[in-house]
Amino acid sequence: MTSVTPERHNGVAAALEVEGVSHSYGRRKALDNVSFSVGPGRFAVLLGLNGAGKSTLFSLITRLFAAQSGAICIFNWDVSRAPGEALRRLGVVFQARTLDLDLSISQNLAYHAALHGIGGREAKQRAREVLEQVEMADRADDKARDLSGGQIRRVEIARALLHRPKMLLLDEPTVGLDIRARADILLHVRGLVAGEGISVLWATHLIDEIEASDDVLVLHRGQLIDKGNVGEVASRAGAADIGAAFAKLTGAGRAEDAR
Amino acid sequence: MTNPASNDAAIAKEIAKDLGLKGFGAAQYAICLKGVVWREALRFLHQRERFVSALVRPLVWLFIFAAGFRSVLGVSIIPPYDTYVLYDVYITPGLMAMIQLFNGMQSSLSMVYDREMGNMRTLLVSPFPRWFLLTSKLVAGVAVSLLQVYAFLLVAYFWEIEPPSPWGYLTLAPALILSGLMFGALGMLLSSLIKQLENFAGVMNFVIFPMFFTSSALYPLWRVREGSPWLAFACELNPFTHAVELIRFAFYEQINPFALAVVLSAAIVFLAAAIRAYDPSRGMLVRREGL
């Protein structure tokens, strides 16, 4: 079995395990035998250009639809066989903004709590906690419409944490944000990894969001062409840094992708 | 930001603690259903233009269309009416069904296409079983459609359109719930099947208008039959016709057993098809490459 950082699992199930997953839309192969795992408390970057298969992979992990072959497990719960148990251990931030703009922040969070079977005082208490975590507690009664793009993202992260998952999935969470808001979101999520041992799968095509200690998964045209820690991937590609390695592996122009 | 090894052990312990199967109890199902309905109602109240247009649309038909035809079209005595009724009385049940049809299409399709984009994802990533989530969403849509219909009836009351006794308002409710479920399930099914209908105008032209006009909403079937037997046959095949008749009879404290059977069966079939269409492994989402 392949694993990004097996030595870190300490005998515990991987937070996320993707094993031999393939998926096609008609004749077009979107994912081809993709295998990787994200260990507990790890920050893993899923690096790929648009069309690499990131969205398909996220749809499969969140069980929007099922993989045609292979298996996906969240803390050993198979997404196909025990979807409820798998999904309740997973927090998701979608690429599209999914807050209800007409409702207030706390109403949005209450809805999400209900979708996880959490109601009443418990839901309110948790909403307060997660909003404090992302420093948005003072905006609880504001309508989502009145927030900036970066603030909406922070609330979406808070929402994803509400049911206390140990695995967080973020699909290009910094798209459309300015540089400061991007840095801010990254800082918050990295704080969760360091402080609470939450595992993160962070999909992006922006090289500068990667740190030296991260695990990197390079997805290109549906295939996982390399995985490992940042240094390994760079040296295997014979490149000076991960940006050059990504450009080399995907044939992408460095300048446009590294920003 | 690497975690020290000691931290790892603590994390491992905490995760191990969390790994037991939990499942959901009935109370949690109830919380989920309540949450979905509550959100739908809140959204509806916040979108004032949606409420107004849901009310204005049938009122335009009632005040302008029906008023214009009031003297031209007399409706003979057919059940459930035991006397001659004015055209605007005849058309009212059809307008109630129209409100529900619009609402059913809107609440499902807007979830996928309009600015609500992504909210279907939010719903479907919930750990509750998918059939339960979709059914909750339907129930929420039905609740909103009841609000809309009764608001319409309140205005209609001042236009002197009312059931023979106030009980009619009560006996109407189960009929509305059933027809609302049928239209909502149909909308949900369409939202999963049709990728091309990217906007509501398409749905209006290809679903709502044909269903509405090919029915007993605007003219009694015997009248249609005089003009065109084929059209009358099409009307009888249209589940909308039966929803209208179910509502018409219920408003007069009567049950139309045939309409009830058709609407109930259609609701079950549409709901089953919608649940199947949203099934992760057998459904339509795969072929559509997601939402």
Side-chain angles (χ1 to χ4, degrees):
Chain A
M1 191 166 68
T2 45
S3 172
V4 179
T5 52
E7 77 278 8
R8 289 202 164 271
H9 289 2
N10 283 326
V12 180
L16 172 68
E17 180 90 51
V18 174
E19 190 64 40
V21 166
S22 299
H23 200 84
S24 307
Y25 301 116
R27 245 184 286 166
R28 192 167 68 77
K29 200 141 201 167
L31 287 176
D32 186 6
N33 196 22
V34 170
S35 297
F36 65 89
S37 76
V38 178
R42 294 298 297 165
F43 190 98
V45 180
L46 178 66
L47 203 53
L49 301 172
N50 294 333
K54 297 194 299 273
S55 296
T56 302
L57 186 58
F58 271 59
S59 293
L60 296 177
I61 298 172
T62 56
R63 206 174 125 83
L64 180 61
F65 44 84
Q68 284 148 349
S69 63
I72 296 170
C73 293
I74 296 158
F75 293 106
N76 261 358
W77 294 103
D78 190 309
V79 171
S80 292
R81 274 178 288 177
E85 295 303 321
L87 290 177
R88 73 192 304 168
R89 288 168 175 80
L90 180 70
V92 187
V93 176
F94 292 108
Q95 189 174 344
R97 306 247 156 88
T98 54
L99 281 191
D100 218 317
L101 295 180
D102 295 315
L103 304 189
S104 74
I105 305 305
S106 46
Q107 287 168 338
N108 267 290
L109 292 180
Y111 173 57
H112 181 83
L115 286 180
H116 282 266
I118 305 162
R121 203 174 301 161
E122 171 81 8
K124 286 202 185 82
Q125 170 66 24
R126 287 198 189 195
R128 243 192 323 272
E129 278 170 28
V130 291
L131 284 178
E132 266 162 29
Q133 253 177 316
V134 297
E135 293 165 58
M136 290 292 294
D138 52 330
R139 307 295 300 269
D141 296 324
D142 291 6
K143 281 203 173 174
R145 193 179 295 288
D146 299 330
L147 303 186
S148 70
Q151 289 169 329
I152 286 185
R153 267 297 182 239
R154 258 150 68 184
V155 173
E156 285 179 328
I157 291 169
R159 182 177 66 173
L161 294 171
L162 195 76
H163 55 287
R164 297 184 183 145
K166 286 282 174 221
M167 172 78 215
L168 205 55
L169 219 58
L170 301 103
D171 189 2
E172 307 220 10
T174 58
V175 162
L177 299 184
D178 63 37
I179 292 178
R180 250 187 64 193
R182 273 179 59 195
D184 178 62
I185 295 294
L186 252 174
L187 195 72
H188 272 104
V189 175
R190 287 188 182 281
L192 293 170
V193 175
E196 319 218 353
I198 289 177
S199 312
V200 167
L201 181 65
W202 175 287
T204 187
H205 60 274
L206 303 171
I207 297 297
D208 61 354
E209 294 181 348
I210 305 173
E211 273 187 14
S213 60
D214 295 342
D215 296 325
V216 177
L217 307 153
V218 186
L219 192 65
H220 186 54
R221 292 186 184 150
Q223 291 185 319
L224 201 59
I225 51 180
D226 203 1
K227 60 190 167 186
N229 67 44
V230 173
E232 283 168 17
V233 172
S235 69
R236 263 199 295 271
D241 57 35
I242 187 69
F246 182 54
K248 207 167 165 183
L249 287 168
T250 61
R254 171 89 208 262
E256 62 174 292
D257 292 301
R259 275 197 39 184
Chain B
M1 290 238 185
T2 324
N3 293 304
S6 61
N7 199 8
D8 270 12
I11 293 165
K13 208 169 148 194
E14 200 178 330
I15 288 168
K17 202 173 62 188
D18 176 58
L19 284 183
L21 186 79
K22 286 178 190 162
F24 286 112
Q28 286 167 305
Y29 275 86
I31 288 171
C32 180
L33 173 63
K34 200 177 116 194
V36 174
V37 174
W38 170 83
R39 170 185 170 275
E40 193 77 14
L42 264 185
R43 273 181 55 78
F44 180 68
L45 295 175
H46 281 280
Q47 298 177 339
R48 229 159 281 144
E49 74 272 23
R50 191 174 150 202
F51 186 71
V52 170
S53 66
L55 197 55
V56 166
R57 201 178 297 118
L59 288 177
V60 166
W61 279 91
L62 186 64
F63 293 161
I64 299 173
F65 183 82
F69 276 93
R70 200 171 184 167
S71 48
V72 182
L73 283 172
V75 176
S76 69
I77 302 170
I78 47 164
Y81 308 114
D82 48 17
T83 168
Y84 283 101
V85 291
L86 287 171
Y87 186 59
D88 43 15
V89 172
Y90 178 80
I91 193 181
T92 298
L95 297 180
M96 293 188 229
M98 183 181 78
I99 294 172
Q100 290 196 297
L101 179 63
F102 261 96
N103 185 69
M105 296 298 129
Q106 238 167 0
S107 63
S108 298
L109 288 166
S110 70
M111 211 158 50
V112 181
Y113 297 122
D114 295 350
R115 59 189 152 161
E116 252 203 275
M117 185 78 183
N119 276 337
M120 196 60 160
R121 295 289 307 259
T122 325
L123 180 75
L124 296 184
V125 80
S126 157
F128 284 95
R130 195 162 283 188
W131 65 263
F132 179 75
L133 295 170
L134 294 173
T135 310
S136 300
K137 185 79 196 168
L138 270 187
V139 169
V142 172
V144 167
S145 83
L146 285 183
L147 270 174
Q148 292 175 340
V149 170
Y150 280 106
F152 164 72
L153 285 177
L154 182 66
V155 181
Y157 173 80
F158 293 105
W159 190 255
E160 293 179 351
I161 291 171
E162 50 187 320
S165 87
W167 289 109
Y169 289 113
L170 202 65
T171 53
L172 179 65
L176 289 176
I177 290 171
L178 209 53
S179 56
L181 280 175
M182 181 181 84
F183 295 135
L186 178 63
M188 194 167 275
L189 179 63
L190 288 176
S191 74
S192 74
L193 294 178
I194 306 168
K195 200 176 183 179
Q196 287 81 2
L197 288 181
E198 300 259 321
N199 57 50
F200 198 64
V203 182
M204 295 254 289
N205 286 331
F206 294 105
V207 181
I208 294 181
F209 285 155
M211 277 187 97
F212 182 60
F213 289 117
T214 317
S215 78
S216 59
L218 296 179
Y219 7 75
L221 280 186
W222 65 265
R223 196 125 209 188
V224 178
R225 207 168 284 119
E226 279 179 351
S228 157
W230 283 107
L231 186 59
F233 182 62
C235 291
E236 280 179 87
L237 289 181
N238 182 358
F240 188 85
T241 296
H242 303 283
V244 172
E245 294 310 310
L246 184 68
I247 292 169
R248 191 189 305 286
F249 278 72
F251 199 47
Y252 277 65
E253 300 166 43
Q254 294 175 39
I255 294 175
N256 182 330
F258 183 63
L260 176 65
V262 172
V263 173
L264 187 63
S265 324
I268 291 170
V269 169
F270 290 156
L271 180 57
I275 288 172
R276 178 168 172 122
Y278 274 98
D279 184 288
S281 44
R282 293 172 301 175
M284 300 303 295
L285 300 178
V286 177
R287 268 159 270 180
R288 275 183 39 186
E289 303 186 23
L291 287 171

